[in-house]
Amino acid sequence: MQRLHGVPASPGATRGALAVIVDAELPTGGRIELAAADAEVARLARTAAAVARSLDVLAAEVAAGGHPDESAIVAAQAAMARDPALVSLAETRIRQGDDAIAAVRAAGADLATQLRSLDDELLAARATDVEDVVSRIAGLLAGLPAERRTLERPSVVVARDLAPSVTAGLPRDQLVGIALEAGSATSHAAILARAYGIPAVVGVPGLLAAAGRLTADPGRVAAFTVTVTVDGDTGDVVLDPDAAERVRIDERIAATATARDLALAEADLAAVTTDGVEVTLLANIGTPDESRPAVALGARGVGLFRTEFLFIERPTAPTEDEQVAAYRSVVEAFAPGPVTIRLLDVGGDKPIPYLPIAPEANPFLGVRALRLASDRPQVFVTQLRAVMRATAPGEHGSGAGRPLGRVKVMAPMVADATDVATLLDLAARAEDSLREDGLPFGHVDLGVMLEIPGAILVADSFFDRLDFASLGTNDLLQYTLAVDRGNRELARYQDSLHPALLRLVAESVAASRRAGIELSVCGEMGGDPLAALALVGLGVRQLSMASSSIAPVRRAIRRASSRELERAAADALRLPSAAAVRELFADLPVPA
């Protein structure tokens, strides 16, 4: 038995037969006479188009299998194969003497390296997608047949990494788990695993070497007699488990199923304290496909819909109609609950080909989010038009279902009243242009994401011009304590129960009450049961979180007294550390 540890990527526990996928060796290509360059460029273009068509077919199969939103991930790969930038980079190399295989591999390697160098886990994870598309093009150029993966029995797939097209093409009836030596929790393989409900662990050092020692044929997909267990909650992967480990993982499988059933059974329960104070629990989502599980687990709406997925994985900007369809699908999924849509939040750390941003020494403090509006207002006007159109009764929908809920637009990275004026101006321009075009649109509430400490300190100067505000506690903590939240050596500063952050929350609550506007929390703080209790004690009545956190947060609130929480929160503001605050709330009496 060998136990390895990685990064949890998709929750749940499982065990199955070991199935190893090792990337096929691709030809390296060679050199050509410059006179043959035109023909070689044409061959590359034809092959890339053929790969794009094959990925379109796979996307359609995924959609037909009941996962229309996940099919968009594979469709994005088809768009990569059609991306003129990739072919253009390869063409430059062909005209320098490389054949099509060598050229497209070099171009793909350059693009993947650029993505992996970015200080953004989501974008860095897209490098695998690029490599997959390039390998498909290179393989077809070399005359290699497209490989269709098969699994002979319920299996845990082990690989260095899995491209989305490979993950989507695996037989769902036999795929019970995924373990990857590379990858991240934001990779498309992980996203697909979560959507399919398949436990997964990524970033497992030494995984392939350990698996190779147990298999006689690690060069292809094959089901072996060796068993693998995967725990997508703890990050544990065990190869050839002993009897005790098999019993343990079977108990975990049963416990996970029980917890899931309980969460679903409690989904209709309100988050009400023992003395009658109700807290609205909302979901944070990053794509429309996250809507269904969030609704099933009891989310009363969306407190944060990150819209970057529409913009960052394509060579050209999304059309207004594409945006309308995406926003409308979420609004309809949660109707009649509210949906808060965050305006595009990108900057120098998230470069977009069609939205060039000059490199900055510290992009997290630079020209990003709403600050881009000074040079590129139309990006935000178009997005606001799309949200307003998605809110119109009957627009891109039958209009015959449940009435649509309240739709809100939230601007990130707002520092002061001038930024609020920019938001209001953009919204007015969007409304005026829709009227001029004769297009139907509905009302949207306007608000801000509070993630800059200075904005909270001057909130009285602009809150009365807004409908709501939401605390983005992830960046708020980072900016308050001058700490990079991705730096593990600074872990002691990264607890959201730090008294400094709690004081900013308290001031935000007070300012929102003075202005008579709604205040929520959409940072990860809201999904921590103890931190959620502190927020309720400070007066917050709307919490938004990952859907998997809704059940434990709801359970914690239903066992607490708001009066007791208010007293504890008042004491917490005077404590010296996050550890002391956490201990205070952990020790609160809980009714039997």
Side-chain angles (χ1 to χ4, degrees):
M1 182 176 88
Q2 183 170 4
R3 184 183 301 275
L4 303 172
H5 189 75
V7 178
S10 181
T14 189
R15 67 181 173 100
L18 171 64
V20 179
I21 295 179
V22 175
D23 296 334
E25 287 292 329
L26 290 174
T28 57
R31 303 287 291 175
I32 60 169
E33 296 292 332
L34 293 182
D38 286 343
E40 197 70 354
V41 168
R43 186 167 79 97
L44 171 61
R46 288 194 304 271
T47 305
V51 167
R53 289 193 296 272
S54 70
L55 290 169
D56 285 336
V57 171
L58 179 58
E61 291 176 358
V62 174
H67 295 276
D69 297 318
E70 288 74 24
S71 73
I73 294 175
V74 182
Q77 281 199 288
M80 281 184 190
R82 293 189 176 94
D83 185 355
L86 176 63
V87 175
S88 178
L89 285 173
E91 180 179 350
T92 299
R93 291 181 174 273
I94 289 173
R95 299 198 181 281
Q96 294 172 348
D98 282 347
D99 70 3
I101 295 173
V104 76
R105 290 194 64 181
D110 288 346
L111 290 173
T113 299
Q114 291 174 25
L115 287 169
R116 287 200 171 95
S117 69
L118 298 176
D119 188 20
D120 182 279
E121 187 180 11
L122 182 65
L123 288 173
R126 300 294 83 85
T128 299
D129 299 11
V130 173
E131 290 169 341
D132 179 48
V133 170
V134 167
S135 69
R136 285 172 176 267
I137 294 172
L140 191 56
L141 284 167
L144 300 178
E147 187 175 3
R148 195 71 171 185
R149 312 289 185 174
T150 60
L151 299 172
E152 299 169 7
R153 67 191 76 173
S155 302
V156 172
V157 165
V158 168
R160 185 191 68 82
D161 205 349
L162 283 181
S165 64
V166 176
T167 309
L170 291 168
R172 290 281 313 286
D173 58 336
Q174 300 286 26
L175 179 63
V176 299
I178 293 172
L180 305 179
E181 184 161 315
S184 72
T186 58
S187 69
H188 274 148
I191 292 171
L192 285 166
R194 289 193 291 270
Y196 294 158
I198 297 169
V201 176
V202 300
V204 185
L207 177 62
L208 281 180
R213 289 192 290 270
L214 297 170
T215 64
D217 185 9
R220 63 184 182 89
V221 175
F224 301 95
T225 56
V226 176
T227 298
V228 183
T229 69
V230 171
D231 192 324
D233 296 300
T234 66
D236 287 329
V237 176
V238 179
L239 301 171
D240 196 20
D242 59 20
E245 174 62 20
R246 292 187 186 214
V247 169
R248 189 197 72 80
I249 204 70
D250 286 346
E251 290 174 348
R252 280 277 297 113
I253 293 171
T256 298
T258 300
R260 174 74 179 181
D261 291 344
L262 179 60
L264 293 173
E266 294 178 345
D268 290 334
L269 294 177
V272 182
T273 63
T274 58
D275 51 351
V277 173
E278 183 168 357
V279 181
T280 303
L281 302 186
L282 308 166
N284 293 340
I285 65 172
T287 60
D289 64 278
E290 296 176 46
S291 299
R292 291 192 303 273
V295 171
L297 290 169
R300 298 298 193 252
V302 175
L304 171 61
F305 179 14
R306 304 178 183 92
T307 58
E308 289 72 43
F309 80 100
L310 279 166
F311 295 83
I312 63 176
E313 295 175 14
R314 52 191 305 146
T316 58
T319 67
E320 186 174 306
D321 285 346
E322 286 178 302
Q323 294 190 57
V324 171
Y327 306 148
R328 180 77 184 203
S329 68
V330 173
V331 172
E332 290 182 336
F334 285 92
V339 172
T340 301
I341 298 171
R342 186 177 70 183
L343 291 178
L344 178 64
D345 185 5
V346 296
D349 60 314
K350 298 176 184 176
I352 296 177
Y354 54 86
L355 193 64
I357 301 170
E360 297 180 284
N362 192 341
F364 293 101
L365 301 179
V367 180
R368 60 179 305 112
L370 191 65
R371 296 173 178 180
L372 290 168
S374 60
D375 291 330
R376 300 174 178 86
Q378 194 55 44
V379 172
F380 297 99
V381 171
T382 299
Q383 189 172 23
L384 283 160
R385 280 172 54 102
V387 176
M388 292 172 180
R389 287 178 55 194
T391 312
E395 175 76 7
H396 283 248
S398 66
R402 294 176 294 169
L404 299 181
R406 180 180 171 200
V407 178
K408 304 187 281 186
V409 172
M410 178 167 63
M413 208 64 180
V414 166
D416 53 27
T418 301
D419 287 339
V420 171
T422 297
L423 170 64
L424 298 176
D425 177 65
L426 293 168
R429 292 167 63 177
E431 284 192 7
D432 290 345
S433 64
L434 287 169
R435 288 191 188 95
E436 291 174 4
D437 294 343
L439 293 172
F441 64 94
H443 172 77
V444 299
D445 288 346
L446 298 176
V448 297
M449 191 171 186
L450 296 172
E451 50 196 336
I452 299 175
I456 295 173
L457 298 178
V458 298
D460 285 329
S461 68
F462 57 77
F463 263 12
D464 60 352
R465 306 185 67 191
L466 298 170
D467 300 301
F468 72 96
S470 187
L471 285 155
T473 55
N474 301 354
D475 277 338
L476 183 59
L477 179 64
Q478 177 171 245
Y479 295 145
T480 299
L481 299 182
V483 56
D484 179 358
R485 70 183 193 224
N487 189 330
R488 295 182 181 179
E489 295 184 11
L490 302 175
R492 82 169 185 89
Y493 298 99
Q494 296 169 12
D495 191 328
S496 60
L497 283 175
H498 194 287
L501 186 63
L502 297 185
R503 292 189 183 197
L504 287 170
V505 172
E507 177 54 35
S508 302
V509 171
S512 68
R513 288 175 176 170
R514 288 191 293 268
I517 69 170
E518 199 174 70
L519 179 76
S520 63
V521 169
C522 62
E524 293 179 9
M525 183 179 186
D528 175 345
L530 281 185
L533 295 180
L535 290 169
V536 174
L538 290 169
V540 178
R541 295 295 179 261
Q542 288 193 17
L543 303 175
S544 193
M545 63 203 71
S547 58
S548 59
S549 298
I550 291 175
V553 168
R554 179 173 52 224
R555 213 166 290 134
I557 291 172
R558 288 177 60 85
R559 300 175 69 186
S561 157
S562 69
R563 287 186 291 273
E564 192 73 38
L565 294 179
E566 288 168 5
R567 286 193 288 269
D571 292 340
L573 297 177
R574 297 188 292 270
L575 291 175
S577 67
V581 174
R582 195 164 286 280
E583 183 178 355
L584 170 66
F585 280 92
D587 289 342
L588 287 179
V590 176

